[in-house]
Amino acid sequence: MSKKRSRRTWGLKILFAASEAHPLIKTGGLADVAGSLPAALRNLGHDVRLVLPAYPQALERLGEVETLATFEVVNAPEPVRLLGGRIAKSGVPVYLVDSPPYFQRAGNPYTSPNGADWQDNADRFALFCRAVVQLATDRLGLGWKPDLVHANDWQTGLIAPLLSFEPQRPATLFTIHNIAYQGVFDHAAFNRLQLPTPLWSMNGLEFHHHFSFIKGGIAFSDIISTVSPTYAQEVQTPEYGYGLEGLLHHRADRFVGVLNGIDYEVWNPNTDPLIEHPFDLDHLAKRRQNTRALQEEFGLPPDEDTLLFGYVGRLVDQKGVDLILQIIPGLMERTRIQIVMLGTGDLWLEQHLDEMAERYPDRVGVYIGYDEGRAHRIEAGCDAFLMPSRFEPCGLNQLYSLRYGALPVVRRTGGLADTVVDTHPETLANGTATGFVFDDPNASSLWSAVDRAALLYRERPEEWGKVMKNGMRQDFSWNRSAEHYVELYRRAIANPMPNPLVMG
Ligand code: ADP
C-alpha cells in the first residue's frame, strides 16, 4: 500500500506523553526515543503531538509558544497553563504543561542540581498525568481528542489508571524504557495526592504496601511495550523484573518488545558535522584519520597500529563499567592496545577511571563529563566499542557503533542480544557477524570476548574489515519501528483492556 493511501485512510491521532524529549531536554535514551519516534510517525502520516512538563530548558529551546488554556488540577498549588509550540526541525506539535512551582527549577527533570531526587516527584508527575488526562479527554477545549495516548516510563504511569474512570477514554499504550526506575512512594503520598480510592488495591496501584506509578501503566494500559524483544522476555523473570515480573507475565498477551531505532540524520558518518573526517562504507581509509584525531584529542600517542577500544555512557552499575576497569591492567600487559572512555555518573567509578588514566597515560584516555561531540568522535574513531551491560533495555550506543564501523563488544542481554551478531566461523562465512557477544556479567567473560576481538584484529584484518562492513550495512532506522508501533496502536484501539478494578 502506498504511503499516500495509508496517509488518507489510516491517519491516527496520537498524544505522546513523556518526561523528556530531544532536543528540548535530555537525560538518557528516553529523550532520544521521544524526539525521534513522533517525528517518524508523523512522516508516516499520523497526527502525533508531544506533551511534556514545561521545564526551563524545554521552554527556552522550543522558542515561541502560545497559551492554549489555563485550568485547575486537583492538588496543584496554582492554576496550570497549557502552552503550545512546535519542534522546528521535525514539525512535531508540542504541548507543555506549565506549573512553575513544580517545573521551573534548576537541575534536571528528576533531581536537584546536587543530584538528589526532588522530594515532591510524586506530586510533580501526578500533576503532569492529570493534566495529560484533561488534554486527552478534550476537557481543555482544544477541539482535538486523540485516538490513543502513548505514555512512557513511570512519570506517566498514572495516565492509564486515571483514564480508566472516563466513559469515553482514548486507547492507551505504555512503554517501559527501563524497569529499574519505578516511581514507588508511600501510602501517605497516595493519600496526599487524593487519587481515587479504588486505585489503592492489589489490582490497582498498590505495590508491597506502597504505591507504584509504573504498575499503573502496566496494569491499566491496553498494550504494554518495551524497547527490545529480549528485554520483554527478561523482565518477566525475577532476575530482571524488579518485582513486576509476575504482573508482566500475567499481561504477556498484551506485552510486546519493539526495538528502538536511531536517528540516521544525526548519526551519519558521512555528514556528521561533529567528526573531522567524514567517511562511508566505500571510503574507510578516511576512518583511520578519525582514529588518529581521537588519539590526539585524548592525549594518547597517535599510533597507526594500535587497537583502540572505546566506551561512552553513564557511569553506573547497570553499564558494567567496573568490568572494564577490572580488565584494563591485563590489557595493558599487551602491546598496541589503547582505550578511551567518556562518561559521567557514580563518583567512585569516575575516580577509578581517572586513576587508570594516570597509571597508563599513553594507553588510557578518560574524559569525565557529558560531551555530545566526543561521543560522536569515539564512535567514528575507535576500532571496537565496549558495552558490557548487566542489563540493557535496548541500548543506543551499540547501534551508533555499528553505523560508524566500530565493532561492538557486548553482553548478551536485552537489546544488545537483539542487535549484535557474534563473530564465529559460521557467521563469518554467511556474512552476518557484526561484533563480539559474551554471556556472563563478569570480567573473565568480557576478557574472553575482548581477546577474540584482538585476535581477529591482529591475525585476520581482512575478516575484521568484513565484519565492520556487515555492521555498517545494518538498518536500525526509525521507520521500521514506527510502523510496528502503528500496528500496536491499532491493536490497542480495536481491543480495549477490561478495567482491572472491575475484573476484580
Ligand atoms: P541509557 O538510556 O541507559 O543512558 P542508551 O545507550 O540507551 O543508554 O542511551 C544513552 C544516550 O546518551 C546515547 O545517546 C549516548 O550517546 C548518550 N550519552 C551517555 N553518556 C554520555 C556522555 N557522557 N557524553 C555524551 N553522550 C552520552
Side-chain angles (χ1 to χ4, degrees):
M1 183 175 296
S2 77
K3 267 192 182 159
K4 208 162 176 195
R5 187 182 154 95
S6 74
R7 186 171 298 230
R8 265 205 315 272
T9 332
W10 290 18
L12 296 172
K13 287 183 282 192
I14 308 294
L15 182 60
F16 195 96
S19 55
E20 52 182 279
H22 184 74
L24 303 179
I25 177 130
K26 168 169 168 174
T27 74
L30 166 62
D32 289 319
V33 177
S36 308
L37 176 56
L41 290 165
R42 212 175 128 79
N43 285 339
L44 293 176
H46 301 286
D47 179 4
V48 186
R49 307 184 184 188
L50 187 60
V51 57
L52 295 184
Y55 313 108
Q57 302 92 325
L59 274 169
E60 192 188 312
R61 294 198 188 152
L62 193 58
E64 204 177 311
V65 292
E66 57 176 324
T67 302
L68 301 173
T70 303
F71 54 104
E72 300 290 336
V73 175
V74 181
N75 247 11
E78 57 183 49
V80 175
R81 288 190 311 158
L82 187 76
L83 309 175
R86 199 176 276 271
I87 294 182
K89 192 172 155 216
S90 62
V92 171
V94 179
Y95 297 118
L96 294 181
V97 173
D98 188 29
S99 174
Y102 279 171
F103 298 121
Q104 279 289 331
R105 299 178 181 182
N108 84 21
Y110 323 114
T111 63
S112 66
N114 69 17
D117 281 354
W118 294 113
Q119 287 291 307
D120 54 355
N121 271 345
D123 308 67
R124 298 168 73 231
F125 291 107
L127 176 141
F128 177 60
C129 291
R130 283 181 153 132
V132 172
V133 167
Q134 296 205 39
L135 177 59
T137 48
D138 197 23
R139 262 194 236 117
L140 304 181
L142 303 190
W144 186 80
K145 193 172 165 207
D147 302 309
L148 178 139
V149 181
H150 185 162
N152 296 274
D153 274 353
W154 76 261
Q155 296 83 0
T156 60
L158 299 184
I159 296 172
L162 291 170
L163 279 173
S164 75
F165 294 93
E166 301 287 336
Q168 297 287 320
R169 71 169 176 93
T172 46
L173 186 145
F174 182 73
T175 301
I176 302 165
H177 296 262
N178 189 339
I179 206 162
Y181 302 98
Q182 302 195 345
V184 174
F185 302 93
D186 60 15
H187 193 194
F190 181 89
N191 289 336
R192 185 176 72 244
L193 295 177
Q194 300 179 48
L195 289 164
T197 333
L199 288 178
W200 185 266
S201 83
M202 261 206 9
N203 293 325
L205 306 182
E206 195 199 332
F207 185 65
H208 302 292
H209 309 296
H210 284 57
F211 93 99
S212 161
F213 272 59
I214 200 170
K215 190 180 167 199
I218 297 171
F220 287 82
S221 297
D222 298 310
I223 301 272
I224 310 132
S225 77
T226 188
V227 289
S228 70
T230 295
Y231 192 60
Q233 294 305 314
E234 287 173 343
V235 292
Q236 294 180 51
T237 66
E239 198 186 338
Y240 292 89
Y242 287 81
L244 289 165
E245 57 276 6
L247 177 60
L248 284 165
H249 192 63
H250 176 67
R251 302 227 45 208
D253 60 332
R254 287 172 181 266
F255 180 36
V256 185
V258 184
L259 267 184
N260 286 337
I262 57 172
D263 189 329
Y264 269 32
E265 280 180 34
V266 176
W267 292 93
N268 178 350
N270 208 13
T271 56
D272 189 338
L274 299 170
I275 65 176
E276 258 179 64
H277 309 282
F279 63 95
D280 61 20
L281 208 59
D282 301 318
H283 302 90
L284 284 175
K286 284 204 205 155
R287 195 176 187 281
R288 273 332 269 174
Q289 298 176 7
N290 290 304
T291 306
R292 274 199 299 280
L294 182 63
Q295 288 167 323
E296 271 171 36
E297 185 169 6
F298 276 84
L300 303 177
D303 178 359
E304 281 272 324
D305 196 30
T306 292
L307 167 56
L308 181 58
F309 288 97
Y311 173 87
V312 179
R314 292 181 295 126
L315 301 177
V316 293
D317 186 62
Q318 173 195 340
K319 301 287 178 183
V321 190
D322 52 313
L323 307 183
I324 302 178
L325 283 164
Q326 285 178 56
I327 67 162
I328 286 180
L331 274 181
M332 295 301 115
E333 283 173 20
R334 300 192 170 182
T335 54
R336 294 176 297 159
I337 286 185
Q338 294 174 335
I339 178 165
V340 292
M341 300 182 70
L342 163 67
T344 157
D346 293 349
L347 196 61
W348 77 273
L349 284 169
E350 292 184 353
Q351 285 170 345
H352 218 110
L353 287 189
D354 277 336
E355 277 164 32
M356 285 293 172
E358 268 173 44
R359 201 156 127 198
Y360 307 104
D362 287 347
R363 315 280 301 278
V364 178
V366 167
Y367 184 89
I368 302 294
Y370 191 94
D371 186 336
E372 203 101 2
R374 265 182 211 256
H376 283 240
R377 291 189 288 278
I378 289 178
E379 297 290 7
C382 73
D383 298 297
F385 190 91
L386 302 176
M387 225 163 150
S389 305
R390 292 196 162 79
F391 67 93
E392 194 60 77
C394 176
L396 296 170
N397 279 305
Q398 85 280 13
L399 303 179
Y400 304 149
S401 301
L402 289 170
R403 181 110 162 108
Y404 278 59
L407 274 55
V409 179
V410 305
R411 186 170 162 243
R412 197 186 312 279
T413 184
L416 300 175
D418 293 330
T419 55
V420 181
V421 177
D422 191 31
T423 298
H424 51 73
E426 199 184 322
T427 55
L428 272 175
N430 65 21
T432 56
T434 58
F436 299 90
V437 186
F438 64 95
D439 283 293
D440 301 319
N442 59 43
S444 63
S445 198
L446 169 62
W447 174 263
S448 62
V450 163
D451 195 36
R452 286 196 289 131
L455 201 68
L456 193 76
Y457 188 83
R458 290 276 167 245
E459 308 289 328
R460 300 166 73 186
E462 69 300 336
E463 299 283 17
W464 181 278
K466 280 188 202 157
V467 177
M468 185 197 257
K469 287 185 178 170
N470 292 343
M472 291 179 79
R473 284 195 199 98
Q474 301 294 310
D475 179 6
F476 289 109
S477 61
W478 264 109
N479 274 355
R480 218 171 30 175
S481 308
E483 276 169 14
H484 197 160
Y485 275 108
V486 173
E487 270 171 44
L488 294 181
Y489 294 160
R490 291 187 198 297
R491 207 179 126 194
I493 292 165
N495 304 289
M497 235 283 285
N499 189 324
L501 299 178
V502 177
M503 283 196 304

